[in-house]
Amino acid sequence: MNLELPTSWRARLSSEFHKSYFEKLQQFVDAERETKDVYPPEDDVFHAFQHTPYHNVKVLLLGQDPYHDEGQAHGLCFSVKPGVRPPPSLKNIFKELKNDLNCPIPNHGCLTDWADQGVFLLNAVLTVRAHQPGSHKGKGWEVFTDEVIRTVNAQEEPVVFLLWGKYAQDKAKLIDAKRHTILQAAHPSPLSAKNGFFGSRPFSQANQALRQAGRGEINWCLNKL
């Protein structure tokens, strides 16, 4: 597994790589890649860290595990590569974005523009076996990403945490709600979007919190590709 983290993250997280849980995780992922298709590609596993340096994190959006169909996952939660059809959850995110901020629905599903502005698009599990959602759950990634969340929580500047669905909301215990803003809503999947995601207005609320913290808003509207 390629463990190349950008400097700002490496200084805070590289000690995790030497712990026994991570060594077991690395062995597991490497063995999986030898005999099975695993997503995202090895060089994209830490893509979110590459696009959003530690001190640039304004918003942390937490996903569960990567998309599991061919060509979709590229290391940013909910995002797909240019030219790949947006999955249902992402389509619902764009619907809420249009209703919230009147952003046009883009002709793609690539969220790198958000990441480059300071939206840290983190999955709790960073790899998955092809066509088997949750297949790398419980192998050690959650221990690592919990530490990532704690590391972001330690930032002096206020951060907005977007926690969609129960899985993400369970991570609220890792966050100091007195210093940071936690915005919770239902997951945008078709199964739950109508029960608390639609109408939650996460994007305008995030920008309001960022304004109040003096951090500058995110331009959530995506340009066409």
Side-chain angles (χ1 to χ4, degrees):
M1 187 157 59
N2 183 352
L3 299 180
E4 197 60 45
L5 278 177
T7 305
S8 67
W9 289 104
R10 189 168 63 241
R12 292 164 176 84
L13 296 170
S14 60
S15 61
E16 295 299 301
F17 295 159
H18 305 295
K19 294 181 179 178
S20 60
Y21 86 86
F22 200 94
E23 291 173 355
K24 291 176 184 174
L25 168 64
Q26 186 174 2
Q27 291 167 6
F28 167 77
V29 175
D30 288 346
E32 285 276 284
R33 288 196 188 277
E34 285 181 11
T35 59
K36 301 174 180 69
D37 290 330
V38 173
Y39 302 134
E42 188 171 19
D43 288 344
D44 286 346
V45 169
F46 295 113
H47 213 185
F49 300 83
Q50 292 158 2
H51 275 274
T52 313
Y54 177 70
H55 290 297
N56 286 11
V57 177
K58 296 180 178 182
V59 178
L60 189 155
L61 173 54
L62 185 65
Q64 194 159 345
D65 66 346
Y67 294 126
H68 54 85
D69 284 337
E70 184 178 357
Q72 291 180 315
H74 65 132
L76 306 176
C77 75
F78 293 108
S79 179
V80 290
K81 295 177 182 179
V84 177
R85 185 177 179 181
S89 290
L90 185 53
K91 287 182 179 179
N92 285 340
I93 290 170
F94 289 154
K95 286 178 185 176
E96 178 62 18
L97 181 58
K98 187 175 193 308
N99 290 333
D100 188 3
L101 294 176
N102 200 32
C103 292
I105 292 177
N107 63 345
H108 62 92
C110 184
L111 305 181
T112 53
D113 187 50
W114 290 0
D116 291 338
Q117 293 182 74
V119 182
F120 187 42
L121 298 168
L122 178 69
N123 276 315
V125 177
L126 298 187
T127 55
V128 68
R129 192 185 301 165
H131 317 303
Q132 295 185 38
S135 49
H136 287 188
K137 188 177 177 182
K139 302 297 183 181
W141 277 126
E142 297 93 334
V143 181
F144 176 73
T145 55
D146 278 2
E147 186 59 28
V148 174
I149 294 168
R150 291 189 193 96
T151 301
V152 173
N153 179 65
Q155 264 214 38
E156 292 181 13
E157 296 274 14
V159 173
V160 178
F161 290 82
L162 296 178
L163 305 180
W164 296 340
K166 186 179 183 307
Y167 184 91
Q169 290 161 14
D170 284 345
K171 305 295 184 180
K173 62 182 178 288
L174 305 174
I175 303 161
D176 182 354
K178 293 178 182 176
R179 294 194 305 112
H180 304 295
T181 299
I182 302 174
L183 299 177
Q184 302 189 41
H187 195 276
S189 74
L191 295 173
S192 54
K194 294 179 181 177
N195 298 317
F197 178 73
F198 290 140
S200 63
R201 302 181 67 85
F203 309 102
S204 59
Q205 287 193 72
N207 275 351
Q208 181 181 1
L210 291 171
R211 275 198 308 273
Q212 290 173 346
R215 296 210 66 188
E217 298 182 357
I218 302 296
N219 177 11
W220 295 99
C221 298
L222 294 167
N223 292 323
K224 288 187 174 182
L225 292 181

